[in-house]
């Protein structure tokens, strides 16, 4: 593999992690959606580049799916949901931005150390680093779900976690195409389910703050 | 058909008695037929066991296509399991015979009969099992079926509590056995007993297995401090089942210990034996102390079972100590004492539980303080019980003395052991055993004296009638066997020898050729005992004394007032009672060991209430072990209960944090 191809793949995967960090400190919902769309674009680019250097043409389809669904349809749908819900545009974070960013850095360090250690026997440096970045994106997505109280941003965190999974799936060579399609569909279904769920919460409690659920159960912490 | 196949068929027959019992329980005579059938099958087990002991050939093995596919269920019959089959068969036959009469006036035979036969069958399968899986399945069936028998009187809150505690302890014991067999597994995970015996293991693993067996088999046998369920559960069952649980099931537990530790485990380091010996001595002393202060006839017997298990455990520990030092003949002596006491305890404890059952059905009362004077109303039961209490109090010429004497012969050989720790420990253990034997005598003088002698303390005791013929026959068989084993100890020792040889690798010299039926365990110059001569001399001297007294004094039968402490009140409550008998021992030994307290409530002058004296004892194992553990589990459960009511975000955080912890662990461990 020539140096440039490696560098570009590295850049794109690293960009994905960077965008994940950007999502962590967005405290407005619309901005969060925009960053999420940006992440999907970067993901599509990374997958397309993988398709090129691995000469695995079915990965172009995966890239297209990522671009169409995650960069366009899902943010647009969430945008509409938010408009229809009329939710206020502030993201209420449970943990403030600073500690969240520090925790995120810790997670990235953990995943890089862990992945490079575990895959020491593998001879493909690109796959190794891709896996490290993918794990970082997954963990950052989880971190976002944990540190936010708003259901919409929890949804976004979940979708960004899926992005990490797709990156991992495409970084490894010979991943069957069926799996990627099913991943895309599962994300779509999750979106639908969560969308319905949001409306339900909204109908019942007049807010999408999941804290309202706790209040309803009488054990607000 | 080999004896093993015969044994398996008999066990299958006993298992089939379960459904049969459920079908015929409501019919008149149904219970008698089922009990009679189980008596016949159990008697046949005696024949199978005797064959295995006398043939003394190599073990017979077979595989049945049951249980796990491609592995099957392995069974084996050898001298050791043969001996325990004899114990099981004798106890089972006597209990079933007793059951024919006892079940006639049982309140709900449908709650006992379906489980009774299978309980016997499951115990037989434990003795015949030849792989860990079969063993554990049979063991757990035995536990569960006996649990069902304990809870048969489910309207009684005591019985429900007893069965709950029993179920918990049985679960704990089976878990320990499971771990023990997990450690025992042979190379490539072979769970057949042959593969287990062939496997090599280090001293640490061996010690861990030994302690797990102490926990698993010990909890079933009633080793202190795992004994707490036993005095609750054994008395709660119907009396013939109590006899089986105390007389036979504790022996099956000891079989498990002997089978694993002596037969399968291979050499055990000497330092493991003091643990067994100390546990045994503590069990013996504590068991009999509890028995002395208790006021419930059946519970006294259950506590006394704990004492006897302690005695047997000391003998087993002694055998381990001798075997670890290569003193095979002495190890065989100690193991002979253990197995002989297994047989004897089965005989007299079953007899006594049946006697307590006869008293219970005649009076409806288990409290000693409600009985008294039964020797006039139930003369046959009284005489048979006297044989039982004499045997259990280890008085010559009965069998209890013979086996305890053998054990003391083993302890007297302990100066030959090379380890100073054992040389110091064993004389002290001997002292404790002597103490527990003396206390057992106190305990059963009290048991017999309060229940059968004196004047009736209640109307029901005054109106008691003799037990039915079946029950008396069962007790008479056991009493005769007690006497027989007492005056022919040599025959019993010779019979046990093949089983001992298999487990200890040696044997005591043959006894049947000795003159005067004498028992010579080591050498003539050291010690010998002849139950027969003792019987002859005690009988002769007693008859001479009686003849002389009657000859020299008047022949006339005189009736005088009963001894009343010089306080001529007619009230039978002024007699010595169960509490008064226990008081000296309770004050002397119970202060620390039983936390015995006495309280006197003296009303102020002018108050018309009577003064009250209350004595209380408690089981320190409950106070210091079980209640704290139960409180800890309860507190932990209450805290974990909160996990059911977390917010969504906290659940997510839980998942997230555990994922991170696992990943960090992975990163550190790599």
């Amino acid at each position: 593999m020539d140096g440039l191809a490696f560098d570009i793949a590295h850049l794109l995967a690293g960009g994905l992690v960077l965008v994940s960090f950007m999502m962590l400190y967005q405290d407005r919902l619309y901005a969060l959606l925009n960053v999420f769309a940006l992440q999907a674009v970067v993901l599509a680019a990374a997958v397309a580049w993988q398709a090129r250097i691995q000469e695995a043409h079915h990965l172009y389809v995966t890239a297209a799916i990522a671009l169409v669904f995650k960069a366009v349809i899902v943010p647009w749908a969430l945008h509409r949901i938010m408009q229809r819900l009329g939710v206020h545009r502030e993201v209420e974070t449970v943990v403030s931005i600073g500690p969240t960013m520090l925790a995120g850095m810790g997670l990235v360090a953990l995943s890089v150390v862990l992945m490079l250690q575990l895959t020491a026997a593998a001879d493909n440096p690109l796959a190794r680093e891709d896996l490290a970045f993918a794990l970082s994106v997954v963990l950052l997505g989880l971190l976002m779900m944990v540190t936010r109280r708003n259901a919409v941003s929890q949804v976004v965190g979940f979708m960004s976690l899926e992005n990490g999974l797709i990156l991992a799936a495409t970084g490894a060579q010979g991943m069957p195409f069926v799996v990627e399609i099913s991943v895309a569909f599962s994300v779509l279904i999750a979106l639908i389910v969560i969308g319905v769920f949001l409306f339900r919460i909204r109908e019942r409690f007049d807010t999408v703050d999941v804290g309202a659920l706790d209040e309803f159960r009488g054990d607000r912490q | 058909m080999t004896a093993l196949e015969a044994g398996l068929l008999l066990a299958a027959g006993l298992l089939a008695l379960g459904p049969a019992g459920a079908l015929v329980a409501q019919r008149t005579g149904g219970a008698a037929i089922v009990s009679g059938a189980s008596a016949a099958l159990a008697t046949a087990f005696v024949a199978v066991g005797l064959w295995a002991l006398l043939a003394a050939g190599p073990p017979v093995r077979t595989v049945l296509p049951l249980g796990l596919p491609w592995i099957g269920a392995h069974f084996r019959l050898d001298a050791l399991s043969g001996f325990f089959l004899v114990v099981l068969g004798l106890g089972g036959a006597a209990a079933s015979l007793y059951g024919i009469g006892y079940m006639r006036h049982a309140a709900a035979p449908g709650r006992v009969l379906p489980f009774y036969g299978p309980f016997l069958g499951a115990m037989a399968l434990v003795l015949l099992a030849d792989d860990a899986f079969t063993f554990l399945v049979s063991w757990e069936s035995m536990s569960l079926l006996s649990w069902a028998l304990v809870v048969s009187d489910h309207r009684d809150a005591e019985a429900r509590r007893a069965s709950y505690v029993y179920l918990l302890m049985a679960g704990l014991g089976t878990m320990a056995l499971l771990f023990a067999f997990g450690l025992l597994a042979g190379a490539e995970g072979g769970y057949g007993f042959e593969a287990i015996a062939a496997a090599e293991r280090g001293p640490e693993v061996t010690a861990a297995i030994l302690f797990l067996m102490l926990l698993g088999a010990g909890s079933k046998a009633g080793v202190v401090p795992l004994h707490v369920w036993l005095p609750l559960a054994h008395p709660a069952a119907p009396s013939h089942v109590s006899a089986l649980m105390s007389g036979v099931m504790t022996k099956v537990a000891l079989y498990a210990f002997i089978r694993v530790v002596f037969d399968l485990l291979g050499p055990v380091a000497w330092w493991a034996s003091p643990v067994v010996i100390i546990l045994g001595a503590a069990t013996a002393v504590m068991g009999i102390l509890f028995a002395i202060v208790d006021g419930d006839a059946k519970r006294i017997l259950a506590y006394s079972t704990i004492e006897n298990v302690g005695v047997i455990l000391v003998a087993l520990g002694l055998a381990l100590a001798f075997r670890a030092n290569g003193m095979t003949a002495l190890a065989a002596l100690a193991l002979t004492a253990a197995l002989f006491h297994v047989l004897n305890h089965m005989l007299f404890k079953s007899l006594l539980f049946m006697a307590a059952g006869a008293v219970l059905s005649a009076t409806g009362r288990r409290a000693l303080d409600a009985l008294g004077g039964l020797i006039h109303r139930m003369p046959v039961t009284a005489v048979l019980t006297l044989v039982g209490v004499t045997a259990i109090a280890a008085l010559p010429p009965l069998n209890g003395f013979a086996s305890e004497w053998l054990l003391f012969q083993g302890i007297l050989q302990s100066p030959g052991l090379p380890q100073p720790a054992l040389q110091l420990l064993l004389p002290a253990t001997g002292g404790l055993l002597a103490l527990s034997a003396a206390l057992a005598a106190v305990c059963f003088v009290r048991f017999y004296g309060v229940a059968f002698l004196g004047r009736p303390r209640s109307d029901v005791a005054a109106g008691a009638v003799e037990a039915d013929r079946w029950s008396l026959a069962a007790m008479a068989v056991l009493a005769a066997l007690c006497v027989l084993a007492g005056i022919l100890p040599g025959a019993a020792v010779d019979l046990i020898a093949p089983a001992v040889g298999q487990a200890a690798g040696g044997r005591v010299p043959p006894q049947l050729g000795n003159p005067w039926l004498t028992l010579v365990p080591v050498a003539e110059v050291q010690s010998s005992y002849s139950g027969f001569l003792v019987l002859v001399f005690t009988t002769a001297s007693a008859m001479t004394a009686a003849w002389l007294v009657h000859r020299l004094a008047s022949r006339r039968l005189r009736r005088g007032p009963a001894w009343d402490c010089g306080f001529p009140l007619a009230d039978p409550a002024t007699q010595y009672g169960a509490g008064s008998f226990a008081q000296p021992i309770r004050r002397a030994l119970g202060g620390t060991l039983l936390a015995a307290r006495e309280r006197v409530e003296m009303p102020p002058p002018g108050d018309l209430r009577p003064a009250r004296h209350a004595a209380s004892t408690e089981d320190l194992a409950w106070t210091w072990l079980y209640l704290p553990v139960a409180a800890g589990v309860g507190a932990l459960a209450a805290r974990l209960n909160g996990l059911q009511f977390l917010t969504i975000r906290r659940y997510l955080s839980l998942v997230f944090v555990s994922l991170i912890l696992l990943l960090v662990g992975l990163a550190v461990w790599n």
Side-chain angles (χ1 to χ4, degrees), chain A residues 107 117-118 146 214 217 219, chain B residues 645-647 649 653 660 667 670:
Chain A
L107 291 180
Q117 228 175 35
L118 284 183
V146 170
D214 310 336
R217 295 196 314 183
D219 52 14
Chain B
F645 306 103
L646 290 186
T647 65
R649 206 175 51 73
S653 315
I660 296 299
N670 243 289

Side-chain angles (χ1 to χ4, degrees), chain B residues 99-372:
Chain B
I100 297 178
Y102 191 78
M103 291 311 293
R104 252 187 228 155
H105 33 77
R111 295 188 186 281
V112 177
L113 280 182
F115 308 111
Y116 179 78
F119 174 44
L120 277 174
M123 287 197 287
L125 289 179
V126 173
L127 299 179
L128 291 172
D130 195 30
D131 67 70
F133 181 75
T134 312
F135 182 91
L136 286 172
V137 168
S138 315
W139 178 276
E140 194 60 8
S141 316
M142 172 182 88
S143 296
L144 289 179
L145 288 163
S146 56
W147 171 80
L149 289 166
V150 168
V151 81
S152 64
D153 188 8
H154 67 111
R155 287 195 179 78
D156 182 9
E158 277 285 298
R160 288 202 304 271
R161 174 164 173 263
S163 64
Y164 176 63
V165 176
Y166 177 34
L167 203 58
L168 286 183
M169 293 302 289
L172 179 78
T174 308
M175 193 181 70
L177 286 184
L178 201 67
F179 288 146
F181 279 113
L183 287 178
L184 272 170
E188 292 114 35
Y191 282 104
F193 281 179
E194 254 180 318
I196 287 176
E200 302 267 329
R201 44 187 85 78
E204 298 84 12
V205 179
T206 305
I209 293 170
L210 180 81
F211 295 136
L212 282 172
M213 284 312 293
L214 270 179
L215 191 64
S219 69
K220 182 67 76 190
V223 173
V224 169
L226 304 167
H227 66 284
V228 289
W229 65 274
L230 197 147
L232 298 173
H234 284 195
S239 292
H240 60 309
V241 178
S242 308
L244 271 186
M245 289 179 75
S246 255
V248 181
M249 192 172 74
T250 54
K251 306 307 175 299
V252 173
L254 289 169
Y255 162 80
F257 185 79
I258 295 173
R259 168 65 73 193
V260 169
V261 173
F262 284 84
D263 194 28
L264 302 181
L265 195 51
V268 181
W270 73 269
W271 48 262
S273 58
V275 180
V276 181
I277 293 172
I278 291 172
L279 268 182
T283 304
V285 173
M286 290 310 292
I288 200 64
L289 271 182
F290 285 124
I292 284 183
V293 298
D294 208 281
D296 179 307
K298 284 180 82 175
R299 211 157 51 221
I300 289 174
L301 296 175
Y303 275 126
S304 145
T305 296
I306 297 175
E307 183 237 20
N308 282 284
V309 165
V311 171
I312 297 169
L313 205 60
V314 169
L316 293 178
L318 193 62
L320 275 181
F322 282 132
R323 202 184 63 160
N325 289 302
M327 303 153 96
T328 319
L330 292 178
L333 170 61
L335 199 60
T336 304
L339 292 188
F340 194 15
H341 203 66
V342 162
L343 175 70
N344 291 339
H345 180 245
M346 184 278 293
L347 292 174
F348 49 63
K349 188 50 62 68
S350 301
L351 168 58
L352 289 175
F353 258 119
M354 290 175 191
V359 170
L360 177 63
S361 19
T363 64
R365 308 293 289 271
R366 274 163 43 182
L368 284 184
D369 276 331
L371 305 173

Side-chain angles (χ1 to χ4, degrees), chain B residues 451-473:
Chain B
F452 286 92
L453 307 181
R455 284 175 294 155
R457 292 179 179 77
S458 66
D459 294 341
V460 281
V465 288
E466 184 59 274
D468 60 274
R469 240 175 274 158
W470 294 105
S471 309
L472 289 179

Side-chain angles (χ1 to χ4, degrees), chain A residues 94 107 110 114 117-118 139 142-143 145-146 148-149 154 213-214 217 219 221, chain B residues 644-653 656 659-660 663-664 666-668 670:
Chain A
V94 177
L107 291 180
L110 173 69
L114 188 69
Q117 228 175 35
L118 284 183
L139 291 182
L142 259 176
L143 181 65
M145 291 180 77
V146 170
R148 300 294 167 101
R149 281 174 68 167
Q154 286 188 348
L213 286 177
D214 310 336
R217 295 196 314 183
D219 52 14
Q221 320 236 345
Chain B
Q644 294 189 46
F645 306 103
L646 290 186
T647 65
I648 296 174
R649 206 175 51 73
R650 281 187 186 227
Y651 280 126
L652 278 175
S653 315
F656 183 63
L659 175 68
I660 296 299
L663 288 179
V664 169
L666 198 62
V668 171
N670 243 289

